[in-house]
Amino acid sequence: MKLTVVGGGSTYTPELIDGFARLRDTLPITELVLVDPAAERLELVGGLARRIFAKQDHDGKVVTTTDLDAGVEGADAVLLQLRVGGQAAREQDETWPLECGCVGQETTGAGGLAKALRTVPVVLDIAERVRRTNPDAWIIDFTNPVGIVTRALLQAGHKAVGLCNVAIGFQRKFAKLLDVTPSEVHLDHVGLNHLTWERAVRIGGPEGEDVLPRLLAGHGDAIAGDLRLPRPVLDRLGVVPSYYLRYFYAHDEVVRELGTKPSRAAEVAAMERELLEMYGDPALDEKPDLLAKRGGAFYSEAAVDLAASLLGGGGSPYQVVNTYNNGTLPFLPDDAVIETQAAVGAHGATPLPVAPVDPLYAGLIANVTAYEDLALEAALRGGRDRVFKALLAHPLVGQYAYADGLTDRLIAHNREHLAWA
């Protein structure tokens, strides 16, 4: 089995490698190809990957290349983990929206739109190259904003499934609190990428006992603390929102906080420099502890599980993924991309039936879906007016003066990545 990671020079990659090595019975990779245009950091990451495989007695071959076409040729699955513009572009995404009093974040709001505009054309070009060399290959998208990028891939006819680590993070956290194995925890996870709620936590499968009320009663303070939301909010809602909902539920508070501290991009950039120095140490043969602070917890387990199921192996029958709605949420178009529990296999991902969604959540889901429609249109066709309309539609912007100012800033900061600008 050949698996290719595009963006393989990322400092995330050793987390992925560690999962491939530990879970080789689930996903028996014979050749792992890391593709990245940044040759120097690719070799640092590739060297550590080979040492991790060797330490854990994995006999798969690790190949590094800057040649995308060679890297994806013959691959059974291609995993995308790109950051177009690098941490420098992320730094901008997190800062210039604050000038207009709006949240600066790399996956939602104005910063998230900028990332989508930079990313969608690049991802579609990669996917076309994959299709030319191996039309049967699955594309697993971990590149943010996952919902918009996955929708672009699916609309272009690619065999693609989107993946995020939010759900598996909740699954692992809840399993620990409940003292059960993660495989016993089934989430009623509904919404869009980075806009989801856990409405039930069932033990044993989709029809199991819902223990969410017990979780909130016994561990509500800890869960609220992790989400940085007041405990009474969770009690009143009776659900566990994704931590990205804080940008919506406490927007002004978050904006004030972001204006008083360094950006997350600056923190991550400093971490990456330290990590790359570690990766260059020939004695290092395991992922360093510092990597846990970089983000992407349990990413490797989620990726292995999804790839194994898509390729006909031993993955879990039900997984939280990003895929076409196809009537699952009746208030959304069929071609909207939702994030939900799905039956996953060689056929792809089929969402499981979802109980009716409360208007409190359905309204926001529909609003952000409309924004994503406009964002994808702007990413595919360009133009200032399309960017403005997408921003005006976003619930974190929503005023024409803000949308105007943000449009000008977005274009100014991203001109080198926008062919139409």
Side-chain angles (χ1 to χ4, degrees):
M1 178 187 297
K2 177 178 178 179
L3 191 145
T4 298
V5 180
V6 179
S10 168
T11 53
Y12 268 137
T13 300
E15 161 70 24
L16 193 61
I17 302 301
D18 178 72
F20 289 158
R22 288 186 292 103
L23 302 171
R24 55 186 174 273
D25 290 340
T26 303
L27 189 69
I29 298 170
T30 55
E31 182 178 359
L32 175 65
V33 182
L34 307 180
V35 180
D36 203 292
E40 185 175 348
R41 68 187 276 156
L42 178 62
E43 286 311 308
L44 292 175
V45 173
L48 176 57
R50 295 182 185 99
R51 296 193 297 273
I52 291 173
F53 267 27
K55 182 179 182 180
Q56 299 197 33
D57 296 322
H58 193 301
D59 57 6
K61 179 172 66 170
V62 177
V63 177
T64 58
T65 181
T66 58
D67 185 334
L68 175 65
D69 293 319
V72 301
E73 185 175 3
D76 296 288
V78 177
L79 196 153
L80 306 180
Q81 54 172 34
L82 312 178
R83 185 179 294 281
V84 179
Q87 293 298 331
R90 177 180 180 174
E91 169 81 17
Q92 294 175 354
D93 294 344
E94 294 178 346
T95 51
W96 54 261
L98 298 174
E99 298 170 6
C100 296
C102 296
V103 159
Q105 212 278 330
E106 65 158 342
T107 66
T108 192
L113 176 60
K115 194 171 197 302
L117 297 183
R118 293 193 303 269
T119 305
V120 165
V122 174
V123 166
L124 289 178
D125 176 67
I126 293 169
E128 285 300 329
R129 296 193 194 189
V130 172
R131 181 151 54 189
R132 286 199 300 267
T133 61
N134 184 6
D136 292 327
W138 279 102
I139 295 176
I140 298 173
D141 177 58
F142 195 70
T143 297
N144 282 318
V146 167
I148 295 173
V149 172
T150 302
R151 187 168 180 179
L153 288 165
L154 291 173
Q155 287 188 350
H158 297 291
K159 292 177 60 177
V161 180
L163 181 64
C164 180
N165 68 324
V166 167
I168 194 172
F170 277 130
Q171 181 199 44
R172 299 304 171 90
K173 183 187 302 294
F174 296 157
K176 186 175 181 180
L177 293 174
L178 294 165
D179 194 25
V180 298
T181 63
S183 62
E184 294 178 81
V185 176
H186 183 92
L187 301 176
D188 179 359
H189 178 103
V190 66
L192 311 176
N193 180 241
H194 290 184
L195 193 87
T196 52
W197 296 263
E198 311 304 330
R199 300 186 301 170
V201 178
R202 302 189 182 278
I203 301 301
E207 306 303 323
E209 176 194 4
D210 179 14
V211 298
L212 180 56
R214 189 204 316 168
L215 266 174
L216 290 176
H219 305 282
D221 287 341
I223 295 170
D226 287 344
L227 299 174
R228 301 187 64 202
L229 288 171
R231 165 72 185 270
V233 172
L234 268 64
D235 291 337
R236 292 170 72 181
L237 295 177
V239 303
V240 178
S242 159
Y243 44 84
Y244 286 93
L245 264 299
R246 186 168 184 261
Y247 297 116
F248 295 81
Y249 291 164
H251 176 275
D252 294 353
E253 179 184 338
V254 172
V255 169
R256 287 193 295 271
E257 287 177 4
L258 293 175
T260 63
K261 62 181 184 180
S263 68
R264 174 63 178 164
E267 295 175 357
V268 170
M271 256 185 278
E272 287 198 334
R273 289 190 291 270
E274 188 174 351
L275 284 167
L276 288 170
E277 186 174 343
M278 290 178 174
Y279 296 170
D281 180 357
L284 182 68
D285 56 7
E286 61 186 12
K287 64 177 183 179
D289 292 340
L290 178 61
L291 188 56
K293 299 180 180 179
R294 171 67 178 82
F298 309 116
Y299 161 40
S300 59
E301 284 90 339
V304 167
D305 208 14
L306 179 55
S309 292
L310 293 174
L311 298 175
S316 303
Y318 305 121
Q319 299 172 41
V320 173
V321 298
N322 287 260
T323 191
Y324 270 151
N325 177 46
N326 281 340
T328 307
L329 301 181
F331 55 90
L332 295 184
D334 284 350
D335 66 350
V337 165
I338 62 172
E339 185 171 292
T340 190
Q341 285 278 4
V344 183
H347 66 282
T350 303
L352 300 183
V354 170
V357 179
D358 188 290
L360 179 61
Y361 315 123
L364 188 53
I365 292 169
N367 190 340
V368 175
T369 296
Y371 151 75
E372 291 189 348
D373 288 345
L374 296 166
L376 183 54
E377 182 76 2
L380 294 174
R381 301 180 62 191
R384 187 188 188 282
D385 283 351
R386 292 188 180 92
V387 174
F388 169 80
K389 289 176 181 177
L391 288 168
L392 188 61
H394 201 295
L396 296 182
V397 180
Q399 298 184 51
Y400 72 83
Y402 287 172
D404 248 340
L406 290 167
T407 298
D408 290 338
R409 287 168 171 80
L410 186 156
I411 294 172
H413 284 285
N414 290 276
R415 199 176 299 277
E416 66 180 295
H417 300 291
L418 307 176
W420 51 267

